[in-house]
Amino acid sequence: MDTLGSILNRISRFFIDVDDRNWASVESAMTGRVHLDYSSFGAGEPVDLTPEAITTAWKELLPGFDQTHHQIGNTLVDSKEQKATIKVHATTTHFIDGAEGGDIWVVYGTYNIALVHEGGEWKINSIQFIFKFQDGNIDLPVLAQTRTNAKAV
């Protein structure tokens, strides 16, 4: 597969695996440390984390939704030798059936993702989310967190 195809497949597979809760595959898509920046969405300062630390945090929220769906598009790829950057627009739909106030919360934004080619494959080493706006039931994340905590007990 050509370089562009490999990069695009890596990014698509990453978001599909997040939605499918395939945490082992999500972790294997990343380098040993990943620069994670969701500061535009109110998530604090950017941090450098292991893939396991990232999925541990995501496991505390995402399983509380009945479904999530990352729809990505308008992808711009810039690659040179062993490094690549991707800018991709994303619409992420979160769903909890029958939730009071509405069962859908949608977040719109752009991801800037950096990758490096190591060990014969492309791996993500930086994820920055640029928040644009949200729609729907903005209380759904609180319900999802409550549901995840209840499952853990």
Side-chain angles (χ1 to χ4, degrees):
M1 181 177 294
D2 67 343
T3 297
L4 179 59
S6 295
I7 293 168
L8 293 174
N9 278 347
R10 169 58 76 196
I11 297 305
S12 293
R13 170 61 47 207
F14 178 78
F15 286 111
I16 288 168
D17 286 339
V18 169
D19 289 333
D20 289 345
R21 314 296 187 255
N22 185 350
W23 302 121
S25 183
V26 170
E27 290 173 8
S28 72
M30 296 183 267
T31 58
R33 303 274 309 165
V34 178
H35 185 74
L36 195 64
D37 182 356
Y38 280 84
S39 59
S40 72
F41 199 48
E45 292 299 312
V47 292
D48 293 333
L49 299 170
T50 65
E52 295 80 11
I54 292 169
T55 59
T56 295
W58 291 350
K59 288 176 194 176
E60 293 174 2
L61 177 64
L62 293 179
F65 295 102
D66 292 335
Q67 295 290 324
T68 59
H69 179 83
H70 288 79
Q71 187 67 48
I72 59 173
N74 298 338
T75 306
L76 299 175
V77 178
D78 183 25
S79 66
K80 189 171 186 175
E81 298 177 16
Q82 303 298 307
K83 295 183 179 183
T85 57
I86 292 182
K87 180 177 185 172
V88 60
H89 290 205
T91 301
T92 307
T93 305
H94 307 77
F95 173 78
I96 298 177
D97 188 33
E100 186 177 328
D103 47 16
I104 292 187
W105 169 53
V106 185
V107 178
Y108 301 85
T110 301
Y111 280 97
N112 294 315
I113 301 172
L115 301 96
V116 295
H117 195 260
E118 64 178 39
E121 61 184 346
W122 288 97
K123 297 229 177 203
I124 297 167
N125 70 346
S126 178
I127 302 170
Q128 178 190 36
F129 179 70
I130 307 298
F131 174 71
K132 291 182 180 175
F133 60 96
Q134 60 187 332
D135 194 16
N137 184 353
I138 62 172
D139 294 326
L140 224 54
V142 173
L143 177 57
Q145 183 75 61
T146 301
R147 294 174 83 201
T148 301
N149 291 343
K151 289 177 188 176
V153 174

